[in-house]
């Protein structure tokens, strides 16, 4: 239950990759060494590929820069963003592990209210390995945590729960605000540690943040595309949220769960609100149409795999959001390219379809 220091034998040591997008030396890993060192890291270097990124001694890692992405994906590399942390999703594609944890390089180890270091990775794993309850809300939050259970009136037929696809963690210190909120609250810091994990209900969207995120790659990986952002694109800072909206629609359709809450990391520095506003301003305008689109999106019964769901969603993006701006036509095409590239690097093993959750 409690977020404590590293277990003697790290959980899922051979089944999880840590994906880190970066443009700088990874000194921040020193602080995470007790928790991350047993795991394999995939570092996606953004920006100038000739720059040397230093990684502290003792970590098992592979590093990909833009030249590597172009070499591995060829023409399909066009779907991977440049000069934006959205490039991290290339790491999801080349991983061969069942689970992914992704973290930003300005995220440090947080402390719980008792002063203990929080092992964020361990808590994500616990979230992912226990079921979710998207079809009926439990007022004591996650019923599978120690010291909690299903409350009176919770249907017994739903107590088995469903597979958890995504674990969305939070941040102490610098909150994940948009530029307008940053501008009006420049000194605001988050010091509220809420000791809770909850399943986001079916039919409810949320703004997914990619800086402290775990997911079951085997289950939902192909839906975790962070879109076209950054260099040459009219928008930035919507990469993780785009992935979150697509992923949630697909999880709702296939009957899987998404958890949010613990674990916390310490987000160390605020990005420049004026730079952020330039990246975000079209998104702030567009999201008033994007959210109703995703809220109304439905997938046909033929969509029995994540890939089929994602390709159907891409058609709806092109048909409906293409009217909002031509960018969404380009994005819909990139969604198709992403799935083609994913399937090339991750050939399906047999034709077995993924398990449905209950409550469909």
């Amino acid at each position: 239950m409690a977020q404590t220091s590293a277990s003697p034998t790290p959980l899922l040591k051979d089944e999880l990759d840590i994906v880190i997008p970066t443009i700088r030396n990874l000194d921040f890993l020193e602080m995470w060494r007790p928790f991350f060192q047993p795991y394999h890291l995939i570092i996606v270097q953004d920006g100038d590929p000739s720059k040397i990124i230093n990684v502290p001694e003792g970590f098992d890692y592979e590093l990909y820069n833009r030249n590597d992405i172009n070499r591995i994906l060829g023409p399909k590399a066009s779907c991977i963003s440049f000069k934006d942390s959205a490039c991290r999703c290339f790491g999801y594609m080349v991983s061969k592990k069942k689970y992914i944890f992704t973290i930003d390089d300005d995220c440090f180890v947080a402390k719980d209210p008792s002063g203990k270091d929080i092992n964020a990775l361990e808590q994500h794993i616990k979230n992912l390995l226990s079921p979710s309850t998207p079809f009926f809300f439990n007022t004591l939050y996650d019923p599978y945590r120690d010291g909690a259970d299903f409350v009176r009136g919770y249907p017994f037929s739903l107590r088995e729960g469903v597979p958890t696809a995504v674990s969305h963690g939070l941040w102490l210190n610098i909150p994940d605000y948009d530029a307008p909120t940053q501008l009006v609250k420049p000194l605001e810091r988050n010091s509220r540690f809420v000791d809770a994990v909850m399943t986001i209900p079916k039919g409810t969207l949320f703004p997914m943040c990619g800086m402290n995120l775990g997911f079951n790659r085997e289950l939902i990986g192909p839906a975790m595309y962070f879109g076209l952002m950054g260099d040459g694109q009219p928008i930035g800072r919507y990469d993780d949220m785009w992935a979150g909206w697509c992923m949630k629609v697909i999880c709702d359709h296939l009957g899987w769960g998404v958890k949010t809450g613990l674990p916390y990391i310490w987000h160390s520095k605020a990005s420049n609100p004026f730079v952020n506003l330039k990246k975000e301003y079209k998104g702030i305008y567009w999201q008033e149409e994007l959210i109703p689109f995703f809220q109304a999106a439905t997938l046909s019964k033929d969509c029995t795999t994540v890939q089929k769901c994602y390709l159907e969603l891409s058609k709806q993006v092109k048909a409906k959001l293409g009217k909002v701006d031509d960018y969404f036509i380009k994005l819909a095409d990139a969604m198709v390219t992403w799935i083609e590239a994913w399937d090339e690097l991750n050939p399906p093993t047999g034709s077995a379809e993924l398990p449905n959750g209950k409550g469909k």
Side-chain angles (χ1 to χ4, degrees):
M1 179 181 100
Q3 302 176 56
T4 54
S5 57
S7 325
T9 307
L11 290 160
L12 304 180
K13 184 174 83 69
D14 301 317
E15 294 181 74
L16 181 142
D17 278 334
I18 300 172
V19 174
I20 305 166
T22 194
I23 55 169
R24 59 180 65 86
N25 293 336
L26 293 179
D27 303 330
F28 92 114
L29 284 172
E30 282 299 348
M31 182 181 270
W32 287 102
R33 189 181 289 278
F35 306 129
F36 288 3
Q37 192 159 0
Y39 295 88
H40 180 68
L41 312 182
I42 296 177
I43 298 159
V44 184
Q45 177 180 345
D46 198 16
D48 179 2
S50 67
K51 184 179 174 184
I52 303 298
I53 299 284
N54 291 318
V55 181
E57 290 282 320
F59 285 94
D60 169 36
Y61 71 93
E62 53 195 299
L63 186 149
Y64 298 92
N65 62 29
R66 192 71 207 186
N67 294 341
D68 300 314
I69 294 170
N70 291 338
R71 175 176 50 80
I72 292 164
L73 294 184
K76 293 186 174 69
S78 62
C79 72
I80 304 297
S81 299
F82 183 54
K83 295 190 176 171
D84 193 283
S85 66
C87 67
R88 77 175 80 223
C89 63
F90 177 76
Y92 310 160
M93 188 186 272
V94 294
S95 169
K96 299 298 175 206
K97 305 288 176 60
K98 182 174 181 179
Y99 298 97
I100 296 284
F101 170 56
T102 185
I103 186 170
D104 284 6
D105 61 14
D106 62 349
C107 294
F108 301 160
V109 177
K111 292 189 184 296
D112 68 17
S114 73
K116 275 187 190 161
D117 282 354
I118 295 169
N119 183 349
L121 178 51
E122 183 179 56
Q123 181 65 47
H124 276 298
I125 291 168
K126 288 178 179 178
N127 293 348
L128 291 166
L129 292 182
S130 60
S132 289
T133 53
F135 306 119
F136 200 85
F137 189 79
N138 191 51
T139 51
L140 274 183
Y141 308 119
D142 190 340
Y144 306 104
R145 288 186 76 200
D146 291 345
D149 212 322
F150 292 98
V151 297
R152 182 170 56 91
Y154 201 100
F156 281 85
S157 59
L158 294 177
R159 293 190 183 195
E160 266 183 43
V162 300
T164 300
V166 173
S167 169
H168 177 256
L170 298 174
W171 347 269
L172 293 170
N173 195 35
I174 307 289
D176 188 28
Y177 285 162
D178 54 35
T181 310
Q182 279 184 294
L183 285 165
V184 296
K185 293 181 163 182
L187 301 178
E188 184 151 297
R189 300 292 179 263
N190 182 34
S191 57
R192 291 196 310 153
F193 180 96
V194 180
D195 187 10
V197 178
M198 65 186 79
T199 298
I200 299 170
K202 183 180 181 183
T204 300
L205 296 171
F206 75 110
M208 186 173 83
C209 172
M211 73 170 103
N212 172 24
L213 184 70
F215 62 93
N216 183 328
R217 180 184 173 278
E218 209 169 81
L219 212 54
I220 198 65
M224 299 297 279
Y225 174 47
F226 276 43
L228 285 178
M229 303 281 151
D231 199 46
Q233 309 302 337
I235 187 174
R237 284 173 59 81
Y238 273 80
D239 51 331
D240 41 10
M241 290 184 289
W242 179 263
W245 297 327
C246 294
M247 170 278 295
K248 188 61 167 62
V249 168
I250 292 170
C251 281
D252 285 353
H253 174 74
L254 294 173
W256 301 330
V258 178
K259 292 182 178 181
T260 187
L262 300 181
Y264 283 91
I265 51 84
W266 179 270
H267 186 207
S268 66
K269 69 175 194 290
S271 43
N272 184 311
F274 297 100
V275 173
N276 290 348
L277 187 60
K278 197 174 174 184
K279 292 178 181 178
E280 288 173 3
Y281 80 97
K282 286 196 173 179
I284 291 168
Y285 173 67
W286 287 340
Q287 72 189 15
E288 301 308 317
E289 301 201 49
L290 295 181
I291 300 306
F293 163 78
F294 283 107
Q295 285 173 328
T298 55
L299 299 168
S300 67
K301 285 186 176 169
D302 296 335
C303 294
T304 48
T305 66
V306 173
Q307 279 93 330
K308 286 178 184 174
C309 290
Y310 203 73
L311 291 172
E312 175 144 331
L313 199 53
S314 75
K315 288 177 191 163
Q316 295 179 27
V317 167
K318 184 173 269 192
K320 294 179 181 172
L321 295 180
K323 295 170 187 168
V324 175
D325 193 273
D326 287 348
Y327 164 73
F328 291 101
I329 296 171
K330 191 160 73 163
L331 177 54
D333 289 339
M335 291 168 73
V336 175
T337 304
W338 160 265
I339 292 295
E340 289 170 354
W342 183 283
D343 284 345
E344 272 182 28
L345 290 181
N346 302 278
T349 50
S351 58
E353 309 226 309
L354 296 167
N356 266 341
K358 287 189 177 175
K360 280 271 295 144

